[in-house]
Amino acid sequence: MDLGIFIPIGNNGWMMSQNAPQYMPSFDLNRTVAERAEAAGYDFLLSMVKLRGFGGATEFWDHNLESFTLMAGLAAVTSKIQLFASVALPTLHPAMVARMASTIDDISGGRFGINIVSGWNQSEYAQMGVWPGDWYYERRYDYATEYVTIMKELWADGASDLKGEFFQLDDCRLSPPPKGGSVPLVCAGQSDRGMQFCAEVGDYQFIIGTGDLDVVRTDAARLVAAAGETGRDVGVYVLFQITMGETDAEAEARWNHYRDGADLEAIAFMTGQASLDTSGATAEKITEMKGAFNLNIGPIVGSHATVAAKLDEVAAIEGIKGVMCVFDDYPSATAEFGAKVMPLMQSRK
Ligand SMILES: Cc1cc2nc3c(=O)[nH]c(=O)nc-3n(C[C@H](O)[C@H](O)[C@H](O)COP(=O)(O)O)c2cc1C
């Protein structure tokens, strides 16, 4: 089973909590994570694209680096690990992204791929005046299909003359192409339409892990069925939040401490309740909000052996090709997981 890391391109990683490690994103931080990941034998790193944060006491994701330029930097200082950058389609023309990918493919010696983000969060794009309009909610995967077709034509043929519904090209050229004639594409849509898109054009589909592995099983089966329709080989990668300790109790105590420090203002913003007066909220409501402090990414909390056993269970699910990890304290957890969890995983032997 492949193992990757959702690297901390935004401040504080994926924990909206005043009790979690507080840090700004930087190249130095991400280079340290990348070097430790490579040394430990992880398979891939992926950075997201996030263009507007949630505010709150932790200024959650108000600070974010840019995905392609970060991965270009990491490509130059790593030598083995696969790298993925994320593109938010409304912000960049496909011919430019195809060329950026060819360039990072060259810098990395063929280790680069793209996470296709069709883009659903209007505020990230409206602030630049590039939100296509509300029709885009419904049509974004049709737009994405045309977008990817252009990139694939440019990489394979060096030219695209596509006259589509969303793009009109006029003998558009690209050279040099990526070394393999293309680069791997990953997609993270959770809707049926998003998964169908991935089954048609993608190489890997991300799903969001949950504590209940039956839900993971069901979501993986949706992709397996969609890929069965297109007859393409698409692997499922699952996203989990890993919190480790020497014992289960130690890991759980740390997790509870993070949750206790939940940044309610940032969570309210994320869940569209920006006007909610949390001072007047019921205890039940606050507990529910605190539960979303890690963006509802499935938590795996426990000793090294507990985490390894859970990941082995995940690996046994049909269609699963890998797991992408979110960590609390990235530099130390990247190394700790590599030294103490990976060797216990049967699915890595
Ligand atoms: C692993 C993973 C990575 C994602 N990366 C991004 C990202 O970088 N930027 C973003 O705006 N959305 C990102 N998303 C959101 C997805 O692109 C997608 O829009 C979302 O899961 C909703 O699915 P749908 O588009 O099928 O409705 C990510 C989701 C997952 C699970």
Side-chain angles (χ1 to χ4, degrees):
M1 180 166 80
D2 290 351
L3 287 172
I5 304 179
F6 211 6
I7 59 174
I9 190 172
N11 61 310
N12 301 353
W14 276 262
M15 289 193 168
M16 291 184 274
S17 166
Q18 286 164 273
N19 291 348
Q22 305 290 302
Y23 55 87
M24 287 290 282
S26 67
F27 180 64
D28 264 357
L29 169 68
N30 282 282
R31 178 172 52 191
T32 301
V33 171
E35 286 170 352
R36 292 184 184 184
E38 209 165 55
Y42 291 79
D43 302 287
F44 69 92
L45 306 175
L46 187 146
S47 66
M48 68 172 174
V49 53
K50 198 43 60 187
L51 305 168
R52 198 167 176 116
F54 303 171
T58 60
E59 300 178 359
F60 192 72
W61 283 357
D62 289 346
H63 314 282
N64 260 281
L65 301 178
E66 193 285 315
S67 188
F68 275 66
T69 40
L70 175 63
M71 297 327 265
L74 294 181
V77 297
T78 52
S79 58
K80 293 186 297 216
I81 199 158
Q82 174 73 30
L83 305 168
F84 293 101
S86 300
V87 58
L89 303 192
T91 63
L92 288 166
H93 192 279
M96 282 307 299
V97 174
R99 201 173 283 265
M100 287 155 66
S102 290
T103 306
I104 307 179
D105 178 82
D106 180 38
I107 298 171
S108 66
R111 291 180 289 122
F112 183 67
I114 303 178
N115 174 30
I116 305 289
V117 175
S118 65
W120 46 275
N121 191 350
Q122 183 179 340
S123 67
E124 294 190 52
Y125 312 113
Q127 65 178 351
M128 301 175 192
V130 297
W131 175 246
D134 287 353
W135 62 267
Y136 192 71
Y137 286 121
E138 287 296 317
R139 300 292 314 280
R140 61 205 164 98
Y141 283 105
D142 300 329
Y143 182 92
T145 301
E146 212 170 285
Y147 195 104
V148 166
T149 303
I150 291 168
M151 294 201 296
K152 289 191 173 188
E153 284 183 8
L154 288 169
W155 290 327
D157 308 331
S160 174
D161 200 37
L162 186 134
K163 309 276 189 263
E165 186 181 351
F166 308 105
F167 296 96
Q168 281 75 45
L169 274 60
D170 184 9
D171 188 25
C172 182
R173 303 291 179 100
L174 177 144
S175 189
K179 285 184 184 38
S182 187
V183 306
L185 299 180
V186 308
C187 324
Q190 306 299 300
S191 61
D192 287 343
R193 180 68 184 98
M195 287 202 183
Q196 181 199 348
F197 166 73
C198 192
E200 285 166 357
V201 306
D203 298 291
Y204 299 97
Q205 165 77 46
F206 277 100
I207 60 176
I208 301 172
T210 59
D212 178 357
L213 290 191
D214 280 342
V215 177
V216 175
R217 217 166 265 120
T218 304
D219 282 341
R222 285 167 60 213
L223 188 275
V224 169
E229 295 280 315
T230 59
R232 297 184 65 255
D233 179 18
V234 183
V236 178
Y237 281 160
V238 199
L239 181 65
F240 281 109
Q241 167 107 38
I242 311 285
T243 304
M244 298 163 285
E246 290 304 324
T247 62
D248 286 348
E250 186 194 313
E252 280 157 20
R254 187 174 313 145
W255 176 257
N256 292 338
H257 179 61
Y258 295 150
R259 196 191 46 220
D260 288 345
D263 180 345
L264 295 180
E265 203 181 327
I267 295 169
F269 182 89
M270 177 189 76
T271 52
Q273 308 167 65
S275 61
L276 182 80
D277 176 5
T278 50
S279 62
T282 60
E284 204 174 275
K285 181 77 198 162
I286 292 198
T287 305
E288 183 197 317
M289 287 176 72
K290 283 187 172 178
F293 85 98
N294 74 324
L295 293 101
N296 297 314
I297 298 169
I300 297 184
V301 180
S303 68
H304 304 114
T306 298
V307 172
K310 188 83 174 176
L311 291 174
D312 279 339
E313 259 189 82
V314 173
I317 296 172
E318 193 199 344
I320 303 286
K321 289 264 174 70
V323 160
M324 180 161 74
C325 304
V326 163
F327 291 128
D328 46 3
D329 182 1
Y330 268 88
S332 64
T334 298
E336 182 182 343
F337 182 93
K340 297 187 171 176
V341 176
M342 275 194 210
L344 301 179
M345 289 173 64
Q346 296 304 320
S347 52
R348 293 286 289 182
K349 297 200 175 22

